[in-house]
Amino acid sequence: MKKSATSIAAWILNFGLFAILLAAQVSPVHAAGSGRVLFNVVDYGAKNDGSALSTEAFRKAIAAAKAAGGGTIYVPPGRYRSGSIELFSNMTLDVDAGAIIDFPVAQLPLEKVRYLGVEALGPEPLIQGSNVENVTVTGHGILTTGRFADWAKAYSPPPVIKSPADNSNGPHWAHLLQLIEAGQPVSEKEARQAAAELRPDVICFRNAKNILVENVRIVGGPAFVIHLLYSELATVRNVTIQANPGPHANGIVVDSSRFVRISDDYIDTGDDGIVIKSGKDADGLRVNRPAEDVTITNCTVHHAHGAVVIGSETSGSIRNIAASNITAVDTENGIRIKSRRGRGGVVEDLRFDNFTMEDVGTGIVVTSYYTMGGEGATVAEPVSRRTPVFRNIAISNVTISHATRRAVDIEGLPEMPIAELRLTDIVASGSAGLVASYTNALGLYHVEVNADSGPSFKIGHAANLLLDDISSSKPLVGEPVLRLTASPGAILRDSRAFTGTGTFLSVGPGELKSDYLFGNLLENAQAPSEER
């Protein structure tokens, strides 16, 4: 019997609706007006109430997007629990406002990583993209990893740190570093034992190109929070990182990468806030890949070891870095440039401008004597590729409001002084003032330092020194404003002594005749200069 035209039409309509509903469970949809293809993780089985792990749902959604040639993995509002997420080229991970992805503490598969400047086995990152391009992590949602202490317990019993010489990872990692430095082979067993003492990055891009991380909020950090390794053309902007406390929980790490832009971020972390690295010691010299061409601007850093940091992993060299408009609050250091003998590398062509620092430990640090856990003091050695080089560094327009340790600390090596460091328009106060040793062509221009104790400026072993308009508006009774030693040919010009100054310039016996003073207004000092 033939069906009526009406019944056939109704059947077709119902079948079509059924097919559309069925397809919606497994197929992507187009975001209205955007042209984006969305792969909703809930459609692939993700539980948005956190009742079960959604690792497999993320994997299926990503696989579907990859098969389609790209698209957006969409995470709608809700709470999700997941293991590691691996990204691919031409995709976006969009964590919407109201969405939270929890990464529970877990033993993760091991893979080749770079941990603190050394290539080794380690746990895979929580979100990673290796050998990828055109990848975005975005949205106004939250990525959370739980407490650092829980990760430390899960991966290895936290070592008992009895002194700064102890390694803060553990004895097996320290042993692996010793083998690498000695040029000895590392067995599979030794590599895995060391890996058990390491912790994963939160987001890591390796050998990647055209990367964007924006808008997300990241809470917690087992190790590096955002790690750009061997990558280029990367942008990190409008990101909030809350990873304090936790050793090695650096906020944003640019590691042997180039053409990187970092802007408009808030970082509260237990290690360095924004840090540029290029490899450590023998392994870093072997890899020999620089970090270069990086801009950093409009960021606030809280509780970190340093707000903007260069090193200490400098072995592959670091160059062409510009940082501006940075606020540092309660950080151990503000601007910190650090390396040590044996690390090597050339750090050059850096510019830091418009920094404000409040309650920092030391405002500005440039040192060739850095030590981390497990590293002892170095001894003098002939200049070689193991010798770190610092040159052509400009720091300007900085306000340091009461550094609890010291306003400025500059330490070059006798065999390799810090060259062409210029400090311009600096106003600083601190428990101690500016200290500098072993420099070449150090220049201070319009610098005011007020110290609670000691000289405002203490400079020694400085070749080709130029001091232009330096002062202390709060001079201390019994302390010179400037203590200058072993620095023949130094120029002091256009500087002034404020009322209450005792001695303005103090030099070593017989050294005054080798210095050049002109254009200075020192009448307010009881003694404009002295030799002692």
Side-chain angles (χ1 to χ4, degrees):
M1 184 175 74
K2 293 183 178 180
K3 295 183 179 180
S4 68
T6 301
S7 63
I8 291 174
W11 180 84
I12 291 173
L13 178 60
N14 290 335
F15 179 80
L17 289 172
F18 173 75
I20 291 172
L21 290 171
L22 179 64
Q25 301 303 310
V26 295
S27 301
V29 296
H30 288 269
S34 71
R36 293 183 301 153
V37 180
L38 300 184
F39 296 81
N40 190 324
V41 294
V42 173
D43 295 339
Y44 293 86
K47 302 296 183 183
N48 62 3
D49 59 359
S51 59
L53 279 174
S54 296
T55 309
E56 186 63 15
F58 276 93
R59 189 196 66 77
K60 288 180 179 178
I62 290 171
K66 189 173 184 180
T72 296
I73 309 303
Y74 176 62
V75 185
R79 181 177 289 273
Y80 306 83
R81 297 172 57 234
S82 179
S84 297
I85 297 173
E86 185 169 1
L87 310 178
F88 68 95
S89 294
N90 305 314
M91 73 160 284
T92 294
L93 177 63
D94 185 354
V95 186
D96 204 352
I100 300 173
I101 304 177
D102 289 327
F103 294 92
V105 176
Q107 290 289 335
L108 298 170
L110 299 180
E111 63 176 40
K112 187 177 181 180
V113 300
R114 198 188 214 188
Y115 194 86
L116 298 178
V118 176
E119 290 187 346
L121 276 183
E124 68 180 9
L126 302 178
I127 297 175
Q128 70 166 318
S130 297
N131 303 302
V132 297
E133 61 181 16
N134 306 325
V135 181
T136 295
V137 177
T138 188
H140 290 85
I142 299 173
L143 310 175
T144 179
T145 68
R147 298 189 313 149
F148 170 84
D150 295 332
W151 285 94
K153 291 177 183 177
Y155 273 76
S156 182
V160 177
I161 308 299
K162 296 180 179 179
S163 77
D166 291 341
N167 192 285
S168 57
N169 284 296
H172 294 104
W173 177 252
H175 175 66
L176 179 139
L177 295 182
Q178 291 169 358
L179 292 175
I180 293 174
E181 276 311 293
Q184 298 178 6
V186 177
S187 69
E188 179 75 11
K189 179 181 178 181
E190 289 167 324
R192 290 186 173 275
Q193 286 176 330
E197 296 174 344
L198 310 185
R199 297 167 302 281
D201 295 337
V202 180
I203 299 174
C204 179
F205 286 98
R206 177 184 175 123
N207 292 319
K209 187 175 181 179
N210 295 329
I211 301 302
L212 172 61
V213 181
E214 64 174 1
N215 298 331
V216 293
R217 176 183 168 199
I218 304 171
V219 180
F224 295 174
V225 179
I226 298 176
H227 188 187
L228 304 174
L229 175 62
Y230 306 151
S231 296
E232 63 179 41
L233 297 174
T235 298
V236 181
R237 66 189 182 202
N238 297 320
V239 168
T240 296
I241 294 174
Q242 295 170 292
N244 183 53
H248 307 152
N250 298 279
I252 301 171
V253 181
V254 179
D255 196 348
S256 293
S257 294
R258 64 176 185 163
F259 306 138
V260 177
R261 299 169 300 281
I262 298 168
S263 68
D264 304 290
D265 302 307
Y266 171 81
I267 301 168
D268 183 357
T269 186
D271 210 298
D272 292 329
I274 301 167
V275 57
I276 316 297
K277 301 175 179 289
S278 66
K280 179 181 175 183
D281 298 347
D283 192 67
L285 292 169
R286 174 189 64 81
V287 174
N288 194 31
R289 292 185 63 166
E292 57 190 346
D293 308 315
V294 179
T295 58
I296 304 162
T297 192
N298 299 340
C299 295
T300 297
V301 182
H302 192 199
H303 286 142
H305 285 184
V308 177
V309 178
I310 307 297
S312 70
E313 295 89 331
T314 61
S315 300
S317 295
I318 298 172
R319 63 177 70 96
N320 301 340
I321 312 296
S324 62
N325 303 339
I326 307 296
T327 298
V329 182
D330 297 326
T331 61
E332 291 186 15
N333 303 273
I335 297 168
R336 195 179 195 187
I337 304 169
K338 54 184 180 176
S339 190
R340 62 187 265 119
R341 289 186 179 107
R343 197 139 297 171
V346 178
V347 176
E348 62 183 348
D349 303 337
L350 314 181
R351 284 195 170 267
F352 302 83
D353 186 57
N354 285 352
F355 278 64
T356 62
M357 307 177 191
E358 183 177 355
D359 293 326
V360 299
T362 301
I364 299 169
V365 177
V366 185
T367 181
S368 301
Y369 288 93
Y370 177 74
T371 59
M372 66 171 63
E375 296 176 342
T378 61
V379 296
E381 59 181 71
V383 173
S384 70
R385 67 193 298 258
R386 288 169 43 86
T387 307
V389 177
F390 293 151
R391 64 191 181 206
N392 194 20
I393 301 169
I395 301 173
S396 59
N397 300 307
V398 177
T399 298
I400 304 168
S401 297
H402 200 268
T404 58
R405 289 196 302 271
R406 180 168 290 157
V408 180
D409 194 355
I410 302 166
E411 297 178 289
L413 298 171
E415 69 271 22
M416 185 60 68
I418 293 167
E420 300 167 320
L421 171 62
R422 297 174 301 284
L423 305 184
T424 305
D425 290 315
I426 312 292
V427 178
S429 61
S431 296
L434 179 151
V435 174
S437 62
Y438 292 104
T439 62
N440 185 12
L442 172 65
L444 306 185
Y445 306 87
H446 317 300
V447 178
E448 178 182 330
V449 175
N450 297 304
D452 295 340
S453 63
S456 295
F457 303 85
K458 185 178 181 181
I459 301 174
H461 300 280
N464 303 304
L465 175 65
L466 173 58
L467 305 175
D468 182 352
D469 183 16
I470 67 167
S471 64
S472 175
S473 62
K474 298 178 181 178
L476 299 177
V477 176
E479 293 287 356
V481 171
L482 169 63
R483 175 62 179 171
L484 183 61
T485 58
S487 303
I491 297 173
L492 175 66
R493 71 185 185 196
D494 296 334
S495 298
R496 58 175 170 157
F498 279 78
T499 300
T501 300
T503 300
F504 188 89
L505 170 63
S506 175
V507 299
E511 293 184 357
L512 193 58
K513 63 179 180 294
S514 66
D515 296 327
Y516 300 91
L517 283 68
F518 54 90
N520 301 296
L521 298 175
L522 306 181
E523 290 80 0
N524 286 328
Q526 295 178 12
S529 62
E530 67 174 13
E531 293 185 338
R532 65 176 177 86

